Amino acid sequence: MTDRSAGNAGIRKIVHYQEEILLENGRAPAAPAVRATVAAVVANPWAGTGPDTDLSPATEHLAPQLARVLTERLLESLGGPEQVEAFGKAAIVGTAGEIEHAGALIHTPYFGNLVREFLEGSSIICFADDRAEAGQPLVVPMWHKTHAATRSHYQAITTRVNDGPRADEIVVVVAASTGPRPHPRIGDRATDPAVTSAVLEGASA
């Protein structure tokens, strides 16, 4: 990431969080995964505007810059797109904004398509968004970047910015993992039996 990119995007602060699970239930995972989030705190470009405001111009300007800055930081820490197996995205709008303001920065092609391209994925990106005061944690879901129905990669990571978003700010987040949950063993759609409501017949409450 370049300082110029961050400056053009109006980023006040970037927060990077990373974790690696070395033991789960007393045993090392067969496929140890590094999970990370990168969050950018930006001024809400629609603060003080009404619900009839067209969000498109600011979205088209700001969202692509955020997508590049956040994914570049994420890839630096995880070792490149070939290391990423799961991804997710999120946004938290401050209390003076609309929840739609958070959505405008992550739910359009100007952000989602670019994050998917930069991380070399093809799945729809799962997400979370919220309106909250500064310091509120947000759980970001992730799933496999090319096979969204792969249950082993259903996981979540919690992100938090201690002083953001302020009332007139938005926190935008990209999350990724280099592997699955520890010890995944609940099967997958390819191996699932046919299950219908008939399995409930005779079951006690």
Side-chain angles (χ1 to χ4, degrees):
M1 188 208 74
T2 65
D3 291 339
R4 181 178 179 184
S5 296
N8 289 344
I11 295 174
R12 174 172 72 83
K13 187 175 189 177
I14 291 177
V15 176
H16 173 232
Y17 172 78
Q18 184 167 307
E19 64 181 31
E20 181 177 2
I21 299 174
L22 302 179
L23 291 174
E24 177 80 2
N25 198 14
R27 185 182 301 173
V34 179
R35 308 190 305 172
T37 63
V38 180
V41 184
V42 297
N44 183 345
W46 307 289
T49 65
D52 295 329
T53 301
D54 182 2
L55 308 181
S56 300
T59 295
E60 294 172 15
H61 169 71
L62 183 56
Q65 297 180 71
L66 291 172
R68 178 171 292 281
V69 168
L70 294 176
T71 55
E72 285 184 351
R73 284 289 183 99
L74 199 61
L75 292 174
E76 284 175 10
S77 69
L78 296 182
E82 66 280 357
Q83 299 299 318
V84 172
E85 294 187 9
F87 58 17
K89 61 184 179 179
I92 311 174
V93 66
T95 54
E98 295 179 47
I99 195 69
E100 191 71 358
H101 298 164
L105 290 184
I106 65 171
H107 293 319
T108 74
Y110 294 99
F111 185 83
N113 282 16
L114 296 181
V115 169
R116 189 162 36 247
E117 177 185 339
F118 296 149
L119 299 184
E120 297 184 358
S122 57
S123 300
I124 293 173
I125 308 172
C126 56
F127 68 90
D129 48 32
D130 199 3
R131 178 172 50 233
E133 295 182 344
Q136 178 70 30
L138 184 66
V139 177
V140 186
M142 295 182 281
W143 59 28
H144 201 286
K145 71 176 186 179
T146 58
H147 298 88
T150 303
R151 291 198 193 105
S152 60
H153 286 65
Y154 292 173
Q155 55 192 297
I157 186 168
T158 300
T159 188
R160 176 180 176 273
V161 177
N162 65 338
D163 66 344
R166 297 170 182 168
D168 59 352
E169 292 181 329
I170 303 174
V171 173
V172 178
V173 184
V174 174
S177 175
T178 64
R181 297 186 312 276
H183 316 315
R185 56 190 186 278
I186 59 172
D188 220 324
R189 291 189 177 185
T191 58
D192 284 349
V195 178
T196 70
S197 59
V199 302
L200 298 175
E201 294 178 5
S204 59

